[in-house]
């Protein structure tokens, strides 16, 4: 999976989150993150940070602040 595909999946997840389709959005974020973790250094830091930030927003919106904070911290670390 390449960075462009991961970023496209992130965009879909973001749109689903904005539409309050949280379970579908979370599934997309999880898959994109799994793909990014598998791709390793092939994913630009900005793409990974954007993915992590979006997933963190979803977690905040669904009342999971501790999980959101962990992803936000990871996003800051990759910037």
């Amino acid at each position: 999976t390449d960075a462009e595909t991961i970023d496209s999946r992130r965009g879909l997840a973001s749109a689903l989150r904005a539409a309050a389709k949280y379970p579908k959005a979370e599934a997309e974020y999880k898959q994109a993150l799994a793909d990014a973790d598998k791709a390793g250094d092939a994913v630009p830091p900005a793409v990974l940070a954007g993915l992590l930030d979006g997933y963190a927003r979803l977690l905040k919106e669904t009342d999971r602040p501790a999980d959101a904070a962990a992803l936000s911290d990871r996003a800051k670390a990759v910037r």
Side-chain angles (χ1 to χ4, degrees), residues 18-71:
K21 295 182 179 183
Y22 298 122
K24 289 182 180 182
E26 186 161 12
E28 291 297 329
Y29 278 124
K30 283 182 177 180
Q31 186 59 57
L33 190 54
D35 291 346
D37 287 341
K38 193 183 327 183
D41 291 340
V43 180
V47 171
L48 181 56
L51 171 60
L52 292 165
D53 284 336
Y55 194 1
R57 277 191 294 276
L58 178 137
L59 293 171
K60 286 177 193 171
E61 291 171 11
T62 56
D63 297 322
R64 293 179 277 173
D67 294 333
L71 288 180

